């Protein structure tokens, strides 16, 4: 069984070597997405000066709509610190999404609407999840998402088979035979790196596979026969007060803080608030709770409190922090970044070891053939 698993491990690694290197490098960079955005575009990512309180939500929406009347606001990411709000807009009469930065304390528009892959880290995020294949007209719409899902499965299989193959790893975990041949040294380092990184890599594979699988299921399976609704005008009543909705949300779920506001984008959708709550679970995400309001009357409709949900839903919600590694601040980010890069080293050493074994095997076969020929001559 160990030999079979070794072959499976080796061939999966060879098949997926390039995509896994891409996923590894992009994922490790994206751990610090917010910090990189702050460095590359501080005038858009940060507000000039944080005020005591945000402007009323209705005023901010009015400013955005007045500045860009050819767009409809689709969703709004809210911040209560020095990070500027991020708006996601849909161009009227199209399915094209755009991104915009706005100062939530002054209402100043900090950027023009641009493609959701315009900025470096957003482009990197698309590369990480879809290999930039989803927008190719020569391929089906979700090709990149599907491939990302299967390569996540490959990474998961590599992590599990590696642990099984080297199941007695603790006996020589930190023992590297430095004075041996290069092949043995690299083999020892390959095993040690793989074993130490496997737990985190398995978590990354499961969470990443889930994200891609969920999108794939939603777009390709659940709504395969449906056409996307093309929005031309906002789908909620002009009488809606979003400031009142935000204030009411704090009464609906104790300690609720809105982090993401989703406007209705199809006729059967309503207004949904995503938010965070005080909890002892460090893995609870900032989008774990939802509150829904009627798009015509603004009346409260439903709540979803992660603290009252089952264990399965809480595990799924934890995937966000587990995948991006920000559950313990800078320490977990650095660890996730380093381990996330380990497949690059594992791919390099693994390929070298495979090539060396292949050459040695061919050399042995050649010697056996020569020996048989010599025996026949004698």
């Amino acid at each position: 069984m160990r030999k079979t698993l070794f072959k499976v491990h080796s061939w999966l690694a060879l098949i997926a070597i390039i995509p896994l290197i891409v996923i590894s490098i992009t994922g490790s960079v994206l751990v610090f997405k917010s910090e990189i955005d702050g460095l590359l575009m501080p005038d858009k990512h940060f507000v000039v000066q944080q005020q005591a309180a945000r402007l009323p939500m209705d005023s901010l929406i009015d400013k955005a709509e007045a500045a860009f009347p050819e767009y409809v606001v689709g969703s709004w990411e809210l911040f209560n610190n020095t990070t500027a709000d991020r708006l996601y807009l849909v161009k009227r009469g199209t399915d094209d999404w755009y991104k915009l930065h706005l100062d939530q304390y002054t209402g100043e528009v900090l950027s023009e609407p641009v493609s959701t892959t315009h900025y470096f880290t957003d482009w990197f995020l698309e590369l990480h999840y879809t290999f930039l294949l989803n927008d190719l007209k020569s391929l089906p719409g979700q090709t990149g998402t599907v491939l990302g899902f299967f390569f996540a499965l490959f990474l998961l299989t590599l992590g599990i088979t590696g642990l099984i193959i080297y199941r007695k790893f603790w006996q020589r975990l930190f023992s590297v035979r430095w004075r041996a041949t290069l092949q043995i040294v690299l083999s020892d380092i390959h095993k040690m790196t793989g074993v130490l990184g496997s737990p985190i890599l398995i978590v990354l594979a499961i969470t990443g596979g889930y994200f891609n699988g969920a999108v794939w299921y939603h777009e390709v399976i659940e709504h395969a026969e449906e056409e996307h609704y093309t929005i031309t005008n906002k789908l909620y009543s002009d009488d809606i007060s979003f400031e009142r909705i935000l204030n009411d949300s704090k009464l609906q779920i104790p300690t609720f803080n809105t982090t993401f506001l989703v406007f209705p984008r199809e006729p059967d959708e309503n207004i949904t608030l995503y938010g965070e709550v005080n909890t002892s679970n460090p893995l609870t995400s900032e989008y774990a709770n939802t509150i829904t309001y009627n798009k015509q009357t603004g009346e409260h409709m439903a709540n979803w409190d992660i603290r009252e949900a089952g264990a399965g839903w809480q595990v799924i919600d934890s995937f966000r922090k587990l995948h991006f590694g920000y559950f313990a601040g800078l320490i977990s980010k650095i660890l996730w970044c380093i381990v996330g890069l380990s497949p690059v080293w594992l791919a390099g050493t693994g390929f070298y070891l495979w090539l060396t074994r292949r050459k040695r095997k061919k050399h042995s076969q050649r010697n056996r053939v020569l020996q048989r020929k010599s025996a026949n001559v004698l």
Side-chain angles (χ1 to χ4, degrees):
M1 180 179 177
R2 186 174 179 274
K3 289 182 179 180
T4 302
L5 286 177
F6 186 81
K7 288 182 179 179
V8 171
H9 186 89
S10 300
W11 282 109
L12 276 182
L14 287 171
I15 293 170
I17 185 170
I18 300 301
L20 289 182
I21 287 176
V22 172
I23 292 172
S24 171
I25 294 174
T26 54
S28 295
V29 171
L30 289 168
V31 167
F32 296 101
K33 184 181 188 302
S34 180
E35 290 83 355
I36 294 172
D37 283 341
L39 288 173
L40 295 181
M41 48 180 192
D43 56 326
K44 301 177 182 67
H45 184 73
F46 295 115
V47 297
V48 176
Q49 184 176 358
Q50 181 178 352
Q51 307 296 322
R54 298 169 52 92
L55 287 180
M57 196 67 207
D58 300 306
S59 298
L60 294 174
I61 295 174
D62 289 342
K63 289 179 181 294
E65 291 178 340
F68 305 102
E70 66 273 30
Y71 297 89
V72 175
V73 181
S75 56
W76 194 301
E77 195 169 5
L78 292 78
F79 294 93
N80 292 309
N81 49 32
T82 57
T83 302
D85 276 12
R86 292 191 281 263
L87 288 66
Y88 297 90
L89 315 174
V90 185
K91 196 165 187 178
R92 295 178 188 270
T94 73
D95 288 328
D96 300 329
W97 283 81
Y98 294 81
K99 185 176 182 179
L100 172 73
H101 296 83
L102 181 142
D103 188 328
Q104 61 270 34
Y105 302 105
T106 65
E108 179 186 0
V109 174
L110 302 178
S111 68
E112 293 293 315
V114 295
S115 163
T116 52
T117 58
H118 174 81
Y119 299 113
F120 169 72
T121 56
D122 293 330
W123 179 85
F124 235 46
L125 186 65
E126 187 71 11
L127 176 62
H128 179 72
Y129 279 113
T130 72
F131 307 103
L132 305 178
L133 297 177
N134 279 5
D135 293 331
L136 293 181
K137 295 181 179 179
S138 58
L139 296 173
Q142 294 298 318
T143 298
T145 303
V146 173
L147 287 176
F149 171 76
F150 281 106
F151 285 125
L153 290 184
F154 286 179
L155 180 60
L156 176 62
T157 305
L158 287 171
I160 293 174
T161 55
L163 287 176
I164 295 174
I165 292 168
Y166 307 116
R167 56 188 176 276
K168 296 183 180 180
F169 60 86
W170 63 86
Q171 295 178 353
R172 300 180 60 183
L173 181 57
F174 295 102
S175 300
V176 179
R177 291 164 285 183
W178 296 107
R179 296 184 179 182
T181 63
L182 177 61
Q183 182 182 354
I184 293 175
V185 172
L186 291 180
S187 177
D188 288 347
I189 295 177
H190 183 90
K191 295 173 187 176
M192 182 178 68
T193 304
V195 167
L196 291 175
S198 282
I200 294 178
L201 292 178
I202 288 173
V203 168
L204 293 175
I206 293 173
T207 54
Y210 171 81
F211 292 142
N212 277 50
V215 172
W216 177 24
Y217 178 82
H218 177 78
E219 294 292 336
V220 178
I221 299 176
E222 193 174 46
H223 298 287
E225 304 300 326
E226 299 179 10
E227 292 186 8
H228 283 283
Y229 179 80
T230 301
I231 191 168
T232 56
N233 292 293
K234 60 185 181 181
L235 300 176
Y236 57 89
S237 171
D238 290 331
D239 297 328
I240 295 288
S241 170
F242 285 93
E243 187 65 19
R244 186 196 70 78
I245 287 177
L246 290 179
N247 291 332
D248 182 76
S249 68
K250 299 180 184 300
L251 303 177
Q252 297 296 333
I253 299 180
T255 73
F256 183 85
N257 176 51
T258 302
T259 56
F260 206 78
L261 169 60
V262 178
F263 298 81
R265 292 166 291 185
E266 295 190 10
D268 60 345
E269 292 182 349
N270 284 288
I271 299 166
T272 304
L273 276 60
Y274 290 81
E276 57 192 357
V277 293
N278 293 341
T279 174
S280 59
N281 183 358
L283 297 179
T284 300
S285 79
E286 60 272 39
Y287 310 109
N289 304 264
T290 63
I291 305 178
T292 306
Y293 290 88
N294 186 282
K295 64 183 175 184
Q296 297 300 332
T297 65
E299 295 302 312
H300 171 259
M301 295 178 66
N303 294 343
W304 171 265
D305 191 339
I306 192 64
R307 295 169 296 187
E308 299 174 359
W313 287 111
Q314 294 190 32
V315 169
I316 291 175
D317 175 67
S318 71
F319 282 3
R320 177 175 294 275
K321 285 190 174 180
L322 285 173
H323 191 75
F324 292 102
Y326 60 97
F327 55 88
L330 186 60
I331 294 176
S332 59
K333 280 189 172 187
I334 293 174
L335 177 61
W336 252 236
C337 179
I338 294 172
V339 176
L341 282 172
S342 64
V344 177
W345 169 256
L346 291 170
T349 54
F351 183 75
Y352 173 83
L353 294 171
W354 175 83
L355 200 61
T356 303
R357 284 192 297 268
R358 186 177 177 84
K359 289 181 178 179
R360 188 171 66 246
K361 185 177 181 179
K362 286 185 175 181
H363 183 71
S364 299
Q365 290 175 343
R366 193 181 302 114
N367 286 340
R368 285 195 295 270
V369 171
L370 291 174
Q371 288 173 0
R372 283 196 296 268
K373 288 182 178 180
S374 299
N376 292 333
V377 170
L378 294 176

